[in-house]
Amino acid sequence: MPSRESYEVHKEEKSLVQKAKREANQEDILAAALGMRMGPQKPPATFWQPLKLFAYSQLTSLVRRATLKENERTPKSEKVHNFKVHTFRGPHWCEHCASFMWGLMAQGVKCADCGLNVHKQCSPLVPNDCKPDLRHIRKVYSCDLTTLVQAHNTARPMVVDMCIREIESRGLKSEGLYRISGFSDSLEEVKMAFDKDGEKTDISVNAYEDINIITGALKLYLRDLPDPIISYDAYPRFIEAAKLTDPEKKLEAFREAIALLPPSHSDTLKYLMAHLKRVAQNEQFNLMNAENLAIIFGPTLMRVPNLDAMTALNDIRYQRQVVELLIKKEDVLF
């Protein structure tokens, strides 16, 4: 009967053999990725050392990501990944299944917002846990609202906050506020400044004396959103709520519709409606009441999910009614 010592020696030898096989397999994978063919004589160990270190660093990153606790992900607002087909340079592993990504071109997909690398076939299986990174966000205008606020770790887009603060500090009594447009060249200048400098953009009276340029920049930002403030998913519920005639049922339907909005959209809508209510309260100076503001902001805040021109035309009056009620009942609905 074998002794305990011999059993331990045999176990250790078996472990070393398995480790050697794993290392050999890693070398074969790296060789394939580099387009090399392994002959009977393998390259010296010194050749493989930097590649091993690189591979181990990749695997360490995968392990770290896989062991993240669920509550360390974004609990408040789930966000889907924005995957694009990508060609990776050098060896890469899928950050979902931890398997090697084969091929010389278009080996997988990469999230344009957080940089996550996965196989194309793995992308539908990845949880909606995208954490946008500012290194990957190249613009402010036309950027998805949730992506922008999560990248900046704010409740609302800085464009909305900065423009509204500037408008309320010097423009609430300006006649025709939001109705009069600023010069298009100046609007484009503000847009480019936000895309380039973000929250460091200067929109003070020293930079833009005409307040209509700031209101125009805000409306342009809202129009350029890929998914409007009143999101495509929630749009039908808002339209249905606007068609109700019973006041109590209408308010309840509006609350249910608001609950369907992503948190960043809901927070931004609440902030914007409170602002527009203050604009309407200065109607004697700016000549802009809730109905006038709703006519302007209806098509800006909500768009028909499909491209049916007839549906869009028929919904215009309901869009106006939605925004008008949101302004008038802002303190009750939010």
Side-chain angles (χ1 to χ4, degrees):
M1 184 174 181
S3 65
R4 181 177 180 84
E5 288 78 12
S6 62
Y7 173 80
E8 293 295 336
V9 170
H10 176 70
K11 184 178 179 181
E12 183 176 355
E13 289 176 347
K14 185 177 179 181
S15 175
L16 290 173
V17 170
Q18 290 176 342
K19 181 179 179 182
K21 287 183 178 179
R22 285 198 302 269
E23 290 185 352
N25 187 47
Q26 288 175 352
E27 291 178 356
D28 290 339
I29 290 174
L30 290 170
L34 295 171
M36 297 172 57
R37 290 187 176 273
M38 298 298 296
Q41 295 296 324
K42 293 187 177 182
T46 54
F47 173 82
W48 286 109
Q49 193 61 27
L51 292 177
K52 285 182 182 179
L53 291 175
F54 174 78
Y56 291 148
S57 68
Q58 291 281 326
L59 293 173
T60 301
S61 174
L62 296 180
V63 171
R64 177 181 56 79
R65 186 178 183 88
T67 55
L68 280 175
K69 294 180 181 178
E70 191 64 30
N71 60 8
E72 290 178 342
R73 300 179 189 269
T74 308
K76 182 183 177 183
S77 175
E78 286 190 345
K79 180 188 177 305
V80 297
H81 290 274
N82 181 19
F83 286 121
K84 307 287 184 184
V85 176
H86 190 77
T87 296
F88 299 95
R89 295 182 178 180
H92 265 78
W93 279 259
C94 173
E95 295 185 51
H96 177 72
C97 69
S99 298
F100 189 72
M101 301 174 76
W102 299 95
L104 298 177
M105 295 180 65
Q107 304 97 324
V109 292
K110 183 185 184 76
C111 179
D113 298 334
C114 71
L116 181 70
N117 308 316
V118 296
H119 290 117
K120 185 177 180 180
Q121 64 269 25
C122 288
S123 59
L125 307 175
V126 177
N128 297 338
D129 61 350
C130 179
K131 293 182 178 180
D133 191 321
L134 280 175
R135 292 175 298 176
H136 302 285
I137 308 300
R138 302 185 182 278
K139 57 185 178 180
V140 172
Y141 277 68
S142 301
C143 178
D144 174 69
L145 191 151
T146 301
T147 298
L148 189 67
V149 299
Q150 289 195 3
H152 286 270
N153 195 26
T154 57
R156 297 174 299 275
M158 98 283 283
V159 178
V160 175
D161 278 5
M162 291 175 63
C163 287
I164 287 179
R165 282 199 301 266
E166 192 64 29
I167 293 164
E168 294 196 351
S169 69
R170 60 184 173 100
L172 284 179
K173 297 182 179 180
S174 177
E175 185 175 332
L177 190 68
Y178 285 113
R179 179 174 55 81
I180 300 174
S181 300
F183 293 111
S184 57
D185 289 348
S186 298
L187 293 182
E188 188 64 26
E189 186 179 296
V190 174
K191 174 182 175 180
M192 292 176 63
F194 271 116
D195 283 341
K196 180 183 177 182
D197 301 324
E199 58 191 10
K200 296 180 181 179
T201 303
D202 183 9
I203 56 172
S204 67
V205 65
N206 297 326
Y208 301 99
E209 186 176 355
D210 184 3
I211 196 63
N212 297 311
I213 294 173
I214 310 305
T215 60
L218 176 58
K219 289 188 293 182
L220 179 62
Y221 171 77
L222 298 173
R223 284 197 302 270
D224 280 357
L225 286 173
D227 193 10
I229 295 292
I230 294 179
S231 64
Y232 290 130
D233 289 339
Y235 179 93
R237 295 292 292 272
F238 277 94
I239 296 298
E240 291 171 9
K243 294 178 180 179
L244 298 176
T245 55
D246 183 272
E248 289 300 321
K249 290 183 179 179
K250 177 176 282 194
L251 284 177
E252 184 59 32
F254 265 82
R255 291 191 187 97
E256 292 174 357
I258 291 171
L260 295 177
L261 296 174
S264 54
H265 287 241
S266 179
D267 289 344
T268 304
L269 183 64
K270 177 182 178 181
Y271 188 71
L272 182 61
M273 291 303 106
H275 163 65
L276 294 181
K277 191 170 186 177
R278 288 189 287 271
V279 172
Q281 288 169 348
N282 285 273
E283 178 189 357
Q284 58 178 319
F285 304 106
N286 58 40
L287 307 181
M288 298 297 292
N289 57 27
E291 184 178 358
N292 294 336
L293 291 167
I295 292 172
I296 293 169
F297 278 91
T300 301
L301 298 180
M302 49 195 312
R303 299 193 290 273
V304 180
N306 53 55
L307 299 177
D308 184 357
M310 187 58 67
T311 302
L313 188 63
N314 292 333
D315 283 359
I316 288 178
R317 62 173 176 148
Y318 296 115
Q319 292 173 354
R320 176 187 62 77
Q321 291 175 18
V322 167
V323 177
E324 184 177 354
L325 189 135
L326 288 172
I327 294 173
K328 290 180 176 179
K329 300 294 184 179
E330 171 269 332
D331 55 334
V332 176
L333 290 172
F334 295 96

